[in-house]
Amino acid sequence: MKIVTPYGQTYVLQNKVLLWAWCVVFMSMLASQITFGQTGPPSITYTQPNPYLVKTLITPLAPNNTGGTVARVIRNTIMNVAGSDTRISGHVNLPGTGAKFNSPGGLAVDVAGNLFIADRINNAIRKIALDGTVSTVASTGLDEPWAIEVHPTTGDLYVSNYGDHKIMKISPAGVVSTFAGITNTTGTTDGPALTAKFDQPQDLIFDNAGNLYVADAGNRLIRKITPQGIVSTVAGTGNPGKL
């Protein structure tokens, strides 16, 4: 499984190990890792405005740098972000290879660049900060957390509980609550979130309107939860197939 962040990194999941494949490295992400020298980081600007006409060749943009030297771009480099390749599982919060996970699943990145991991067998949500610090965000109320999605405006984490068929919400303060579903109760009931039923929910994604879509794997359905907490079925019949 992999996830591409808004900053251009690709995170790749291996069992108990997280790898970080840099596609394009932005200077803001490496500010704490690159020494720029006495002149400091680069300050790039472009001459404005830049009018362009359809079907007319354009003059290449000429950036102006009034700051320090631009560091070279790093491409296609794979590095271990957290966890050990010794295949020893555990629940240990230490930087880098000192950290331990147990069957990490879904990944999500917030606007600050923090990486969140659904640590399935540990029934925990873990966080890797930009400085490599690993911490546990939540470890109560979770049952085989499968996927994570970050709310685009509030920063709340939404987690699919594969084990007890619910969608959980974790506030930035770490408070865990049930967002949708009934504990250990399966079904296809739509309606208010806390009376709706799911069956082994997996992947999650928000749209621009704040609706949360759920891959309801056990029911073979796609479900939608509105910001007002109303669940509906948007695709699928409950029967397997490709139609």
Side-chain angles (χ1 to χ4, degrees), residues 29-117:
M29 296 295 292
L30 290 182
S32 62
Q33 303 176 37
I34 295 177
T35 300
F36 294 107
Q38 295 180 350
T39 56
S43 178
I44 307 297
T45 59
Y46 294 88
T47 302
Q48 297 291 338
N50 294 306
Y52 300 108
L53 300 177
V54 176
K55 297 183 179 181
T56 301
L57 292 177
I58 67 173
T59 301
L61 292 175
N64 302 310
N65 181 15
T66 57
T69 303
V70 177
R72 69 184 181 90
V73 174
I74 305 171
R75 299 179 186 274
N76 302 321
T77 299
I78 297 177
M79 59 186 293
N80 187 351
V81 174
S84 171
D85 59 4
T86 59
R87 303 185 68 82
I88 298 176
S89 61
H91 189 161
V92 178
N93 290 326
L94 287 174
T97 57
K100 288 184 172 60
F101 302 85
N102 196 344
S103 296
L107 303 174
V109 179
D110 66 11
V111 294
N114 297 302
L115 175 66
F116 295 90
I117 304 102

Side-chain angles (χ1 to χ4, degrees), residues 76-164:
N76 302 321
T77 299
I78 297 177
M79 59 186 293
N80 187 351
V81 174
S84 171
D85 59 4
T86 59
R87 303 185 68 82
I88 298 176
S89 61
H91 189 161
V92 178
N93 290 326
L94 287 174
T97 57
K100 288 184 172 60
F101 302 85
N102 196 344
S103 296
L107 303 174
V109 179
D110 66 11
V111 294
N114 297 302
L115 175 66
F116 295 90
I117 304 102
D119 196 358
R120 286 187 60 199
I121 304 304
N122 282 328
N123 292 322
I125 301 301
R126 314 285 291 281
K127 181 177 81 171
I128 305 176
L130 287 177
D131 63 1
T133 302
V134 178
S135 60
T136 299
V137 175
S139 59
T140 60
L142 301 174
D143 189 344
E144 290 190 66
W146 187 283
I148 313 174
E149 183 73 354
V150 182
H151 192 282
T153 57
T154 66
D156 293 320
L157 300 178
Y158 289 79
V159 179
S160 55
N161 259 11
Y162 182 88
D164 67 1

Side-chain angles (χ1 to χ4, degrees), residues 187-192 195-198 219 223 231 233:
T188 60
T189 304
D190 289 331
T195 59
K197 296 176 183 177
F198 301 84
N219 286 322
R223 316 288 291 280
V231 178
T233 299

